[in-house]
Amino acid sequence: MSETTQPDALLLPVLPLRNSVLFPMTAGPYSAGRKGSIAALEKAAESADKSVVIVAQREPEVEEPGFADLHPIGTRGEIKRLIRSEETVEVIVEGIERVRLESTEREGDCLMARVTPTPVVLEPGPEAEALKRELVSLARQLRAEDSQFGTRDLAVLLDQVEDPMHLVYLLATLLELDLAQAQELLAASEQQAAMRLLLGYMRREYEVRKLRRQIVGEAKMEMGREQREYLLRQQLKAIQKELGEKAPGASEVEELRERLESAELPAPVREEAERELTRLEGMPAASPEHGVIRNRLDLILELPWARRTEDHLDVARARRVLDEDHYDLADIKERILEHLAVLRLNPEARAPILCFVGPPGVGKTSLGKSIARSLGREFERLSLGGLHDEAELRGHRRTYVGAMPGRIIQAMRRAGSANPVLMLDEVDKVGQDFRGDPASALLEVLDPAQNTEFRDNYLDLPFDLSRVMFITTANTLDTIPGPLRDRMEVVRLSGYSDEEKLEIARRYIVERQRIQAGLGAEQFQVPDATLLRVIARYTREAGVRELERMVGRLARKLALRIAEAGEVPPTIEPELLGELLGRERFRPEEARKDLPAGVATGLAWTPTGGDVLYIEAIRIPEEGKVILTGQLGDVMKESAQAAQNWALAHAGRLGFRPSPGGIHIHVPAGAIPKDGPSAGVTMATAVASLYSGHPVHSDTAMTGEITLSGLVLPVGGIKEKVLAARRAGFRRVILPHDNEQDLEDLPDTVREEMEFLFAERIEDALRAAIPELLPPPQEAATEEVGGYRFAPPMGNDSNAPRGSAE
């Protein structure tokens, strides 16, 4: 609140009202018949500013009210129109401002009042904004359920009104308020008090109108069934008589014909629709084919053959919308803005077909909604997960009972425009069986060269899908057929670091869950320390889906306490998490601080993000035998054999002599299948550690594939793997030298916090993981380039034997 100087008092004529109130920023017609009222209006009309004070009487029976008979708060108005008749004066007055009556005096028949402007005290802030939004929402609801409330332009007017008090007074004029309620609202001196008062009035009005509709509905239902049928039959006879006794289905055909004439259809489609309509006209309503033709015509007339939404080509606005809805994801946002810029230069440009690939919970589906909002297009989503029947996409042929259009055409009908954003979710989980291959059907849908004339089996007419912006989502590309993958532009969404999750929780999750729990901003406060504890101890995921569940659970717990105990501390400190969320689900990695010889820590990529795998090796008595367990795939089995053979072939260089017996390599969590070309370095390190007896550094994780010649090959999923290592507590990571450029995808905090060692050969990885096995040469020191440490290569040591253990 702010202090204001007391304005000067004004001496103005007074128009006392018996049973109504004029609000500021509103206008109303009034009829004056008393001598004093007529004199006041005529005096005001002769003044320069045509000002008059409108104030309500305390008792309507008083003919000549004085100061004591008037309410202290009124409204200074301006006469917009005045019409004189023999006995009355009709005026239209527009309210200007609230005034307080200080005193009154008479000048002949005219009552004059000395008034002081009394503006409402404004209280801007979140609470005022929340009250304003509630008022607007309730007004829209009243208008939607009762056409008698307000006018058609009410929705537009609500959007245009920015002043909260203007909104309050405008809505008050639409309610059936008695004099006491209206005067109480006018007398409210503070903005929020007035808004709360009006909110109570509107809620009561909503309940009254709802009850009135219920009473009317019950009264209508009391009419007997026979009476209703009789009235309906009489009405039907009258209609048929007026139409010249046409057949029962004639009106239906006429309706379809009118819709067909007004529809914008391509020439071939119009020709087919007219042919079908002619068939329908000569077909009995009892014919089985009658319903099929009718449904097909309805589909033709409802599809958006030519209707399009206008694209919002403002790049700055689109960037703002994308930034509002999603944190980071700079590459994806840039790709959308590139397409927007192309549309500005070439409106006929075809939309890209994007495939968002990433772990669950990283925002693939919600990103599609944001793209549609930024472009100003309609958004439709259909899930392909578990889809086995090709007809679900292409539609059923009309010869089948219960035939329906395919999901693509149904989505276009729901969208209502020819250029929506259409999201095909879970495209990697499409099935295949005797009913066909839906993935093959998608080839036509997602091919810009073919989808200009997409034919649905039910519709059986060419429909143009080239203006549709298709977005597909997947957790992995491995299960997507090659030809289908070739039609899509793959955009990868990696997992989030803890810092990124914290920022997402700050910006979106906490506020969203607070609103869903019905808590005020002052009732639910989650400090950063608490969020970090939830991220580290209660979730372990690439996305933020589980984090949102945990924050939602905190909000519900707090709501429960408020419901039971009233006021509770709004700030959730880290110490309260055990009480609210239960015991911690995850703890910092402490189980393997000291690794025995033969155990190495590897990093793996999974569809749900990165993961840490311990690879264990022990000796067994069987000579030359290699046992591999842990549900390993063929690629990992080959990596294990290559790692063992390389270690045996270079035993002399590594400083150990092979002992008789075999080896057993195991990857724990045997119930989970594992495969992929990135475990070679970890296998070789585990085998070398076992044979040499030197343990691997417990703070070091690694990834990379190997060859028999000792090269370390690059692998994928570096960001996910590094984030998994960081979550598990590792601070050193060995990576293939060719993956150095992939570190640019990591957040700056992760790059600064962790140590990365790059290896070109297996010896480089062993030197970094087991320094006791291969100490660095005297002349070679660890090289640091661009902030990263490189393990010195073993080089071409002329003293090291090659190709043999001896």
Side-chain angles (χ1 to χ4, degrees):
M1 301 181 186
S2 59
E3 296 183 358
T4 58
T5 59
Q6 184 70 19
D8 296 333
L10 304 173
L11 184 61
L12 299 173
V14 177
L15 175 63
L17 301 180
R18 297 179 187 270
N19 53 12
S20 63
V21 169
L22 174 67
F23 293 104
M25 294 174 280
T26 66
Y30 299 97
S31 177
R34 292 181 286 185
K35 290 183 179 180
S37 299
I38 294 175
L41 291 175
E42 290 179 344
K43 185 176 184 62
E46 294 171 359
S47 64
D49 57 358
K50 301 184 182 301
S51 291
V52 63
V53 176
I54 308 293
V55 63
Q57 297 181 197
R58 296 182 185 272
E59 298 295 336
E61 297 81 11
V62 179
E63 285 296 323
E64 294 184 4
F67 179 82
D69 301 315
L70 303 175
H71 285 283
I73 300 296
T75 302
R76 181 176 72 85
E78 179 182 349
I79 297 177
K80 292 298 183 180
R81 186 177 180 184
L82 185 145
I83 301 175
R84 297 178 177 87
S85 62
E86 294 182 0
E87 298 181 357
T88 61
V89 173
E90 308 290 334
V91 292
I92 296 178
V93 183
E94 180 182 0
I96 304 299
E97 62 181 348
R98 291 171 73 250
V99 294
R100 177 180 295 278
L101 274 67
E102 307 292 346
S103 63
T104 60
E105 59 187 68
R106 286 199 174 270
E107 292 183 5
D109 292 333
C110 178
L111 179 65
M112 304 292 291
R114 195 168 298 278
V115 298
T116 303
T118 310
V120 174
V121 178
L122 302 180
E123 299 171 292
E127 186 173 359
E129 181 64 24
L131 288 169
K132 180 183 176 184
R133 293 184 183 181
E134 182 63 18
L135 287 172
V136 172
S137 174
L138 195 52
R140 292 181 188 277
Q141 194 170 358
L142 276 166
R143 173 61 186 171
E145 296 184 9
D146 191 345
S147 60
Q148 301 300 318
F149 181 81
T151 63
R152 295 181 180 178
D153 302 331
L154 180 61
V156 178
L157 195 58
L158 292 174
D159 292 336
Q160 293 176 348
V161 175
E162 296 181 358
D163 184 0
M165 291 310 301
H166 188 186
L167 177 67
V168 168
Y169 294 142
L170 173 65
L171 293 177
T173 61
L174 303 178
L175 301 177
E176 298 176 1
L177 301 180
D178 58 33
L179 179 60
Q181 292 174 328
Q183 184 62 40
E184 184 181 10
L185 182 61
L186 179 63
S189 59
E190 295 181 352
Q191 173 184 299
Q192 292 189 16
M195 295 172 79
R196 288 194 179 92
L197 195 60
L198 180 65
L199 192 58
Y201 294 160
M202 291 186 68
R203 285 173 176 163
R204 182 180 180 278
E205 181 73 11
Y206 177 81
E207 294 299 328
V208 169
R209 290 176 181 253
K210 181 179 178 181
L211 183 59
R212 187 175 63 183
R213 289 194 303 271
Q214 182 179 350
I215 293 172
V216 172
E218 290 175 353
K220 289 182 178 180
M221 290 179 63
E222 290 176 0
M223 184 186 298
R225 178 180 177 182
E226 293 181 358
Q227 186 177 2
R228 288 200 307 272
E229 290 180 354
Y230 172 79
L231 291 175
L232 289 174
R233 288 193 188 99
Q234 294 301 318
Q235 291 175 1
L236 180 60
K237 289 179 181 179
I239 292 172
Q240 290 178 352
K241 182 177 181 180
E242 291 294 326
L243 293 176
E245 296 293 334
K246 290 188 176 180
S251 59
E252 180 182 27
V253 173
E254 289 299 327
E255 177 193 351
L256 289 172
R257 192 174 299 280
E258 290 177 4
R259 292 172 58 190
L260 179 59
E261 291 175 356
S262 61
E264 297 182 35
L265 302 177
V269 176
R270 181 175 296 278
E271 182 180 344
E272 175 69 12
E274 290 176 348
R275 187 178 68 84
E276 289 285 87
L277 186 58
T278 302
R279 289 182 59 202
L280 182 68
E281 192 171 11
M283 186 176 296
S287 171
E289 200 173 353
H290 183 278
V292 176
I293 297 177
R294 171 62 198 262
N295 291 338
R296 187 189 182 207
L297 285 172
D298 279 336
L299 177 63
I300 292 174
L301 295 174
E302 291 174 4
L303 282 174
W305 299 93
R307 294 191 300 272
R308 299 182 189 176
T309 54
E310 184 177 353
D311 287 333
H312 295 169
L313 302 181
D314 186 347
V315 176
R317 176 190 173 277
R319 187 186 297 275
R320 184 171 63 253
V321 170
L322 293 172
D323 289 340
E324 285 175 0
D325 294 348
H326 287 83
Y327 173 71
D328 199 17
L329 304 179
D331 293 341
I332 299 175
K333 294 176 182 178
E334 197 69 21
R335 180 64 184 88
I336 301 306
L337 297 177
E338 289 172 3
H339 175 61
L340 202 61
V342 170
L343 284 177
R344 293 190 63 175
L345 301 176
N346 179 18
E348 299 301 318
R350 290 178 176 174
I353 298 173
L354 304 177
C355 179
F356 293 160
V357 181
V362 296
K364 299 185 292 296
T365 302
S366 59
L367 185 59
K369 296 180 181 178
S370 298
I371 292 172
R373 192 163 76 92
S374 66
L375 294 174
R377 296 189 179 188
E378 298 294 331
F379 176 82
E380 279 296 328
R381 170 189 170 273
L382 56 97
S383 177
L384 303 181
L387 191 68
H388 287 80
D389 191 352
E390 180 183 339
E392 289 287 330
L393 287 176
R394 288 187 179 273
H396 304 83
R397 301 191 183 279
R398 297 191 304 277
T399 54
Y400 296 112
V401 176
M404 294 175 60
R407 292 194 183 185
I408 300 295
I409 291 297
Q410 290 187 42
M412 296 302 297
R413 176 164 60 179
R414 290 194 304 270
S417 71
N419 61 337
V421 174
L422 188 57
M423 173 160 282
L424 308 179
D425 229 346
E426 310 293 356
V427 72
D428 57 327
K429 299 175 180 62
V430 174
Q432 179 181 359
D433 61 11
F434 65 93
R435 290 169 290 184
D437 183 7
S440 299
L442 284 174
L443 294 178
E444 179 185 0
V445 175
L446 300 180
D447 191 341
Q450 301 181 41
N451 63 12
T452 54
E453 294 187 351
F454 172 73
R455 280 187 177 269
D456 181 89
N457 290 332
Y458 183 89
L459 180 63
D460 197 23
L461 288 170
F463 190 86
D464 186 4
L465 297 176
S466 61
R467 299 298 173 191
V468 179
M469 184 174 185
F470 287 101
I471 299 177
T472 64
T473 69
N475 297 131
T476 178
L477 292 175
D478 297 340
T479 56
I480 301 177
L484 179 58
R485 188 167 60 243
D486 181 62
R487 282 163 167 76
M488 302 182 292
E489 179 181 340
V490 176
V491 180
R492 295 189 179 274
L493 283 78
S494 303
Y496 298 116
S497 65
D498 289 355
E499 289 77 12
E500 291 171 329
K501 291 180 181 179
L502 174 62
E503 194 64 31
I504 293 171
R506 280 178 186 161
R507 297 189 183 190
Y508 312 107
I509 296 178
V510 173
E511 181 68 10
R512 184 160 58 236
Q513 293 300 323
R514 178 190 67 78
I515 294 174
Q516 290 184 5
L519 299 173
E522 71 285 349
Q523 294 177 305
F524 185 61
Q525 300 173 14
V526 187
D528 290 352
T530 303
L531 289 173
L532 287 172
R533 176 70 66 87
V534 172
I535 292 169
R537 303 296 180 88
Y538 290 89
T539 67
R540 184 155 293 178
E541 58 178 345
V544 292
R545 196 166 286 161
E546 187 65 22
L547 174 60
E548 180 149 12
R549 294 192 190 102
M550 291 295 107
V551 175
R553 188 175 176 187
L554 288 176
R556 293 192 299 273
K557 289 285 187 181
L558 205 59
L560 176 61
R561 293 190 171 191
I562 292 175
E564 292 179 342
E567 294 296 327
V568 298
T571 303
I572 301 177
E573 300 295 342
E575 295 77 17
L576 295 175
L577 290 179
E579 181 181 349
L580 296 174
L581 298 181
R583 62 181 181 84
E584 295 177 349
R585 299 183 179 184
F586 306 97
R587 299 191 64 82
E589 188 70 34
E590 297 176 355
R592 299 202 178 193
K593 284 291 184 181
D594 298 318
L595 298 179
V599 179
T601 308
L603 299 173
W605 179 92
T606 71
T608 59
D611 201 2
V612 174
L613 295 178
Y614 286 97
I615 295 181
E616 303 173 341
I618 61 172
R619 299 175 185 268
I620 57 176
E622 288 84 355
E623 180 69 31
K625 189 171 184 179
V626 178
I627 299 177
L628 304 173
T629 57
Q631 279 212 62
L632 305 185
D634 292 339
V635 177
M636 287 190 72
K637 290 179 181 178
E638 293 172 359
S639 297
Q641 293 169 351
Q644 187 208 19
N645 292 336
W646 183 91
L648 293 176
H650 296 79
R653 303 175 66 186
L654 301 177
F656 63 83
R657 183 181 299 277
S659 60
I663 186 172
H664 180 180
I665 298 177
H666 177 68
V667 182
I672 303 174
K674 310 169 191 70
D675 203 5
S678 63
V681 170
T682 314
M683 295 275 192
T685 304
V687 172
S689 170
L690 174 67
Y691 284 144
S692 67
H694 296 297
V696 179
H697 275 206
S698 60
D699 65 343
T700 303
M702 62 201 74
T703 186
E705 190 52 280
I706 61 172
T707 67
L708 284 177
S709 60
L711 296 177
V712 175
L713 304 179
V715 294
I718 294 299
K719 180 178 180 181
E720 289 85 352
K721 294 176 181 179
V722 171
L723 292 179
R726 182 171 181 256
R727 286 196 298 268
F730 293 93
R731 291 296 174 263
R732 298 173 77 239
V733 177
I734 300 173
L735 299 172
H737 182 275
D738 291 342
N739 285 120
E740 176 189 357
Q741 60 185 3
D742 294 325
L743 295 188
E744 297 177 1
D745 298 334
L746 294 172
D748 294 339
T749 54
V750 176
R751 292 202 299 266
E752 295 169 0
E753 194 176 296
M754 302 186 71
E755 180 182 4
F756 300 97
L757 300 107
F758 298 93
E760 295 185 47
R761 298 185 55 81
I762 300 176
E763 295 92 332
D764 304 337
L766 294 178
R767 182 177 289 113
I770 315 174
E772 300 83 2
L773 180 63
L774 285 174
Q778 295 289 337
E779 68 278 7
T782 301
E783 180 183 4
E784 184 170 334
V785 178
Y788 306 128
R789 291 185 59 196
F790 288 82
M794 190 168 182
N796 296 323
D797 189 351
S798 59
N799 296 324
R802 296 172 179 268
S804 171
E806 294 295 326

